[in-house]
Amino acid sequence: MEKLTSQYQSSIFFDELIDDKGAPRPPAKQLLGYLDSLSEDELEKRRLTAEATIQEMGISFTVYTEEGNIDRAWPFDIVPRTIEASDWKIAEAGLKQRLKALNLFINDLYHDQNVIKDGIIPEHIISKSKNFRPECVGISPAYGVWAHICGTDLVRDEHGDFYVLEDNLRVPSGVSYMLENRAITKRVLPELFENESILPVNSYTSQLFDTLAALSPRDIENPEIVVLTPGIYNSAYFEHAFLAQQMGAELVEGSDLFVDTDDCVYMKTIDGPERVDVIYRRIDDLFIDPEVFDSESVLGVAGLMRAWRSGNVALANAPGAGVADDKVVYAYVPDIIRYYLKEEPILKNVETFLCDDPKQRAYVLENLDKLVVKPANESGGYGMLVGPHSTKKEQALFAELITKNPRNYIAQPTLKLSTAPTLISKGVLEPRHLDLRPFILQAKDTYVTTGGLTRVAMKKGSLVVNSSQGGGSKDTWIVETKGQ
């Protein structure tokens, strides 16, 4: 049988596993050699094992459609993505630097606003932000940290350099899939974990628990930590349940909690009310407290903001953290790092055009067929225009949207996203574009996952990696090669 990798046609983009001469890159050498040793039938057997494992473990996600919500099995590719450990150390340092600066920025915005007074970011960018919460002004969370859990999306360019695509600071999701991807791969390719120097990922949930416990307002040995979920119909409910179970925390809905006259949060139990110290909330700001935000919300807890403001409960992430989770603010992050840390950014931003600026807006409107246009506060790949793959009608619609509300749009060049070999049918590997979402935790200490969630655009030529838009996923291996 012809070797699996010998028929692989590397793309014109940077391929993460195979170089432009067709040779395996150092961290992928053992992996690709092993895949080449398998017959076509054996490889197909491994792929079917992965599918069966996903069904057995109940790994799913929900897609919202006009016809209703659809639960789908997690789309997974069995060929892992490999990254050199020395490259990852640089990315890790950059992620820690970035979140440290972003937390200083958020804390400043809800206190003195020196970043505005000193001309680093225009005042109207913040005042018109959908995610700036006046209700949070003056509140000081523990350690000055607002975004305790961050999922930052990274991409690699044609040279293999990492760039930050966006920061997810509100309710970032996907980490459970990172952990499950590793569990599936260990079943499918167990032999490689015996010989390869693949760095582990399984410490995340204990690190998450330690991060949350450090936020407890009470100095007690075992603070009560709960995961607050909107419920079973939420697209990330699998993850909420998974993380609660892994941490040994209670999974609760808003109706399970109440705020008493002492401004403390309590959980209803069969033994009576039990005080809650830390809430890892997976509910958006506007639904967490009907006393302060949406009065019709049944997902949150009346009085929760009162309890938080009084310092009687910790909320992760803190309400208002999303002000930095804005694609317009993203453009200012390099200057934010320089301003607060007096350091040069380790990780670069993707070039970004702000439609709020008349000159930049004119450029965007003239080049809609070449650019990717994004709304400031959408997620999941929704509301975007991918210029080179768009129609004249779609471009005209976005020209109208941008002209009506320029503050709400940014544009970026169409990226030459890196690719990796992906098993698209029996015995056939083809390059597919991918990104990476590592997760960063910050409280008293800062922690970065080893790698992260790799998302793959399963459609040939597509740049959209979101699972809700037809994307898939891979295990991510940070590999220590000899000589490191």
Side-chain angles (χ1 to χ4, degrees):
M1 188 194 85
E2 185 184 16
K3 286 185 177 179
L4 180 70
T5 56
S6 63
Q7 48 82 24
Y8 181 71
Q9 297 293 313
S10 190
S11 64
I12 59 170
F13 306 93
F14 176 82
D15 194 279
E16 303 212 10
L17 273 66
I18 297 174
D19 67 23
D20 51 10
K21 294 174 183 169
R25 297 189 187 278
K29 197 168 183 178
Q30 276 189 267
L31 167 66
L32 295 176
Y34 179 75
L35 292 177
D36 274 339
S37 75
L38 300 177
S39 69
E40 199 173 280
D41 288 340
E42 179 60 28
L43 193 64
E44 180 65 6
K45 184 181 170 186
R46 305 287 179 110
R47 189 187 68 77
L48 293 172
T49 298
E51 285 187 4
T53 301
I54 288 165
Q55 294 289 344
E56 177 192 321
M57 296 169 73
I59 307 170
S60 64
F61 68 102
T62 305
V63 177
Y64 300 123
T65 68
E66 290 179 4
E67 291 76 33
N69 299 343
I70 304 169
D71 278 333
R72 288 186 179 162
W74 182 240
F76 179 75
D77 176 55
I78 67 169
V79 182
R81 171 206 211 151
T82 58
I83 298 171
E84 188 100 41
S86 56
D87 291 341
W88 183 248
K89 281 176 187 170
I90 297 168
E92 180 183 7
L95 292 165
K96 286 181 177 180
Q97 177 196 56
R98 196 173 178 95
L99 187 57
K100 183 179 179 183
L102 285 170
N103 271 310
L104 289 167
F105 169 67
I106 300 165
N107 201 51
D108 186 16
L109 290 181
Y110 290 114
H111 290 89
D112 298 331
Q113 299 198 338
N114 290 319
V115 71
I116 295 172
K117 293 171 188 171
D118 290 339
I120 306 302
I121 191 167
E123 189 274 337
H124 75 276
I125 296 294
I126 303 305
S127 64
K128 291 184 180 178
S129 169
K130 280 185 181 179
N131 294 304
F132 180 76
R133 306 282 177 233
E135 300 85 354
C136 297
V137 170
I139 297 177
S140 297
Y143 310 107
V145 173
W146 294 70
H148 311 92
I149 301 108
C150 172
T152 294
D153 292 344
L154 300 179
V155 293
R156 299 181 88 171
D157 69 358
E158 63 267 39
H159 308 295
D161 294 333
F162 282 109
Y163 281 76
V164 175
L165 191 59
E166 61 182 55
D167 303 288
N168 298 282
L169 301 162
R170 282 176 283 178
V171 190
S173 63
V175 75
S176 63
Y177 299 109
M178 174 195 83
L179 298 169
E180 296 289 37
N181 284 353
R182 177 59 53 87
I184 297 164
T185 307
K186 280 185 171 180
R187 286 201 193 184
V188 174
L189 302 170
E191 302 89 343
L192 284 163
F193 288 89
E194 295 170 11
N195 304 315
E196 276 269 37
S197 298
I198 304 160
L199 299 183
V201 298
N202 56 3
S203 67
Y204 177 81
T205 49
S206 61
Q207 294 283 355
L208 175 60
F209 180 87
D210 290 346
T211 298
L212 296 173
L215 304 175
S216 174
R218 292 192 293 172
D219 185 13
I220 56 176
E221 190 174 346
N222 297 303
E224 187 67 60
I225 299 171
V226 301
V227 178
L228 177 59
T229 176
I232 60 171
Y233 298 109
N234 184 265
S235 62
Y237 181 75
F238 168 84
E239 176 158 298
H240 306 164
F242 176 88
L243 292 175
Q245 186 265 332
Q246 291 290 311
M247 289 193 294
E250 297 290 344
L251 180 67
V252 299
E253 296 184 26
S255 58
D256 298 318
L257 305 177
F258 68 95
V259 177
D260 213 340
T261 52
D262 59 357
D263 287 346
C264 292
V265 180
Y266 293 88
M267 174 172 56
K268 301 170 189 174
T269 78
I270 56 172
D271 296 320
E274 188 171 332
R275 184 170 166 186
V276 173
D277 298 294
V278 183
I279 299 174
Y280 177 22
R281 52 117 186 172
R282 300 298 297 257
I283 295 175
D284 287 339
D285 288 359
L286 297 180
F287 301 106
I288 63 170
D289 185 349
E291 277 188 8
V292 176
F293 299 116
D294 185 343
S295 61
E296 295 183 5
S297 172
V298 294
L299 300 177
V301 184
L304 187 56
M305 286 290 288
R306 191 164 19 96
W308 179 56
R309 182 181 281 276
S310 300
N312 294 330
V313 72
L315 298 179
N317 284 349
V323 69
D325 184 348
D326 180 313
K327 293 176 182 67
V328 175
V329 170
Y330 160 90
Y332 294 91
V333 172
D335 287 335
I336 287 169
I337 291 170
R338 295 182 188 103
Y339 177 70
Y340 290 106
L341 304 182
K342 307 295 185 283
E343 298 169 0
E344 280 301 305
I346 296 169
L347 292 171
K348 302 171 198 169
N349 263 23
V350 174
E351 184 182 13
T352 302
F353 302 101
L354 299 173
C355 295
D356 193 53
D357 178 276
K359 282 186 181 176
Q360 294 182 51
R361 180 167 68 248
Y363 175 81
V364 170
L365 292 171
E366 286 170 16
N367 293 278
L368 285 172
D369 60 330
K370 302 181 189 71
L371 300 170
V372 175
V373 180
K374 300 177 182 178
N377 293 292
E378 289 290 338
S379 59
Y382 293 104
M384 287 171 50
L385 176 80
V386 181
H389 298 169
S390 64
T391 64
K392 292 288 183 188
K393 186 178 179 181
E394 288 168 335
Q395 291 166 28
L397 171 63
F398 268 79
E400 190 179 330
L401 290 170
I402 291 166
T403 305
K404 276 185 182 175
N405 187 5
R407 159 64 179 84
N408 195 45
Y409 289 92
I410 60 116
Q412 295 170 331
T414 307
L415 296 171
K416 295 177 179 176
L417 289 188
S418 61
T419 61
T422 303
L423 194 64
I424 55 113
S425 62
K426 187 175 180 179
V428 178
L429 281 180
E430 287 187 4
R432 292 292 185 267
H433 294 291
L434 67 176
D435 79 352
L436 180 64
R437 177 175 290 183
F439 294 84
I440 311 98
L441 303 176
Q442 187 178 344
K444 185 179 179 182
D445 302 307
T446 306
Y447 163 84
V448 180
T449 52
T450 308
L453 176 66
T454 287
R455 302 182 299 176
V456 190
M458 299 300 279
K459 296 174 187 172
K460 191 170 186 175
S462 173
L463 298 173
V464 181
V465 298
N466 309 79
S467 55
S468 56
Q469 308 283 311
S473 186
K474 292 171 172 280
D475 191 14
T476 309
W477 291 3
I478 306 301
V479 181
E480 287 186 327
T481 54
K482 287 178 181 176
Q484 287 197 331

